Amino acid sequence: MTKELFAHNVPGSTEVLEKKCVAVAGCGGLGSNAAAALVRAGLGKLILADFDRVEESNLNRQYFFQADLGQKKVAALSHYLKAINPRIQLTVHDIKLTCDNLVSIMGPADLLVEAFDRAEEKQWLIETWSRHFPEKFMVCGNGLSGLGNTDALKVTRVGRIYFCGDGVTDRSMGLCSARVAIVANMEANVAIELLVKGQA
Amino acid sequence: MITVNSKELPWLPGMTVADVLKAMNYSYALIAVSVNDQFIARDDYDTFVVEDEADVKALHICHGG
């Protein structure tokens, strides 16, 4: 089944990705969509961390459905990721990530995908990951709010950290599923490229 | 001369990351900085010395995810 599942993947990519582990910090608009893209690409292991429950206001952009309301995001997302690829190895943490538990929870991953909402949280995640794992890559979402303006979305590298987004817009502008999903998939795309090319 | 986000800035001996951010009038509370592709932690802004001809990148970190 798995062979057929990935029959249209880029030749040579699935064999590499199935041996790799990615950690996704947060399972909201960025994390839920990025995780789905990573599983569809053939990633072997995924570490998920989020403490939140699915709310109706999440459904405008996050990879959840009406039936998931009230469920823990990590549980609901795990269900859908397994529905895509039953062989995906998931390590799920229903927990709020902090400076103190980040290393033990996300440390086993080859690469970290940042998918937090608040800029302050993004900042400590970047600082903590970079301090403990200066050799490992991290991919962040940065500026995904508002409508349209697709041309402004870009990837910017700062050391071993890749920032995906327009670098300007703030969630106070409102969030549109299409734009959030583009940035989530940009994050997944950068992660996949780093992993397949052997850089991460 | 150093480069900050692709813009040139005169280099001064001993200038730190904090000096660079000040010279560029970057007042963002939340920012990510690299010097010659090396990520610089916030706690090191006052002490990390930027060499001449360095390539500095400074990104504003936005809410939303």
Side-chain angles (χ1 to χ4, degrees):
Chain A
M1 180 173 60
T2 302
K3 189 176 179 184
E4 190 63 24
L5 172 59
F6 300 123
H8 294 288
N9 278 12
V10 175
S13 63
T14 313
E15 295 81 352
V16 176
L17 290 171
E18 68 183 4
K19 298 182 180 68
K20 297 292 185 178
C21 177
V22 171
V24 177
C27 296
L30 288 174
S32 62
N33 287 296
L38 289 165
V39 172
R40 291 187 198 281
L43 186 75
K45 297 179 184 175
L46 197 56
I47 301 170
L48 302 175
D50 195 299
F51 67 98
D52 220 349
R53 292 180 184 275
V54 180
E55 298 176 8
E56 194 161 18
S57 62
N58 300 149
L59 303 189
N60 77 328
R61 66 195 185 283
Q62 302 184 17
Y63 204 90
F64 301 112
F65 302 87
Q66 291 284 343
D68 301 321
L69 297 181
Q71 300 296 312
K72 283 288 189 174
K73 287 185 177 178
V74 286
L77 184 58
S78 296
H79 172 76
Y80 297 120
L81 298 178
K82 286 278 188 185
I84 295 168
N85 178 11
R87 293 182 61 185
I88 181 73
Q89 295 179 51
L90 297 176
T91 304
V92 173
H93 297 275
D94 174 13
I95 195 169
K96 182 175 175 59
L97 285 172
T98 67
C99 297
D100 296 326
N101 64 21
L102 178 75
V103 173
S104 61
I105 290 174
M106 309 304 246
D110 297 303
L111 179 152
L112 177 66
V113 170
E114 178 279 322
F116 282 167
D117 187 25
R118 297 176 59 242
E120 293 84 355
E121 302 249 304
K122 292 173 184 279
Q123 173 112 36
W124 75 249
L125 188 68
I126 291 166
E127 297 265 342
T128 307
W129 183 262
S130 301
R131 185 167 65 250
H132 288 278
F133 304 110
E135 78 289 357
K136 290 188 181 182
F137 286 95
M138 177 177 185
V139 186
C140 302
N142 194 40
L144 47 84
S145 304
L147 297 168
N149 204 13
T150 311
D151 290 354
L153 301 173
K154 58 186 182 297
V155 179
T156 306
R157 179 174 171 170
V158 174
R160 288 198 166 230
I161 307 165
Y162 287 78
F163 290 87
C164 303
D166 57 39
V168 179
T169 53
D170 188 271
R171 68 164 180 218
S172 60
M173 300 169 68
L175 296 160
C176 169
S177 174
R179 205 159 195 265
V180 172
I182 288 173
V183 175
N185 282 286
M186 286 173 75
E187 287 194 85
N189 201 37
V190 170
I192 290 164
E193 184 176 26
L194 289 168
L195 293 166
V196 170
K197 289 186 175 177
Q199 294 175 274
Chain B
M1 192 72 73
I2 63 172
T3 305
V4 186
N5 290 348
S6 302
K7 294 177 183 171
E8 290 192 332
L9 179 72
W11 176 76
L12 296 170
M15 74 190 309
T16 64
V17 168
D19 294 331
V20 172
L21 297 178
K22 188 176 179 183
M24 296 297 291
N25 290 320
Y26 289 162
S27 56
Y28 305 132
L30 300 159
I31 202 164
V33 176
S34 71
V35 177
N36 293 335
D37 227 19
Q38 177 188 350
F39 178 79
I40 309 299
R42 193 176 186 81
D43 289 346
D44 297 332
Y45 287 180
D46 289 327
T47 55
F48 190 94
V49 175
V50 178
E51 302 291 334
D52 193 14
E53 299 185 358
D55 179 29
V56 180
K57 288 179 183 168
L59 260 72
H60 174 213
I61 302 176
C62 309
H63 292 289

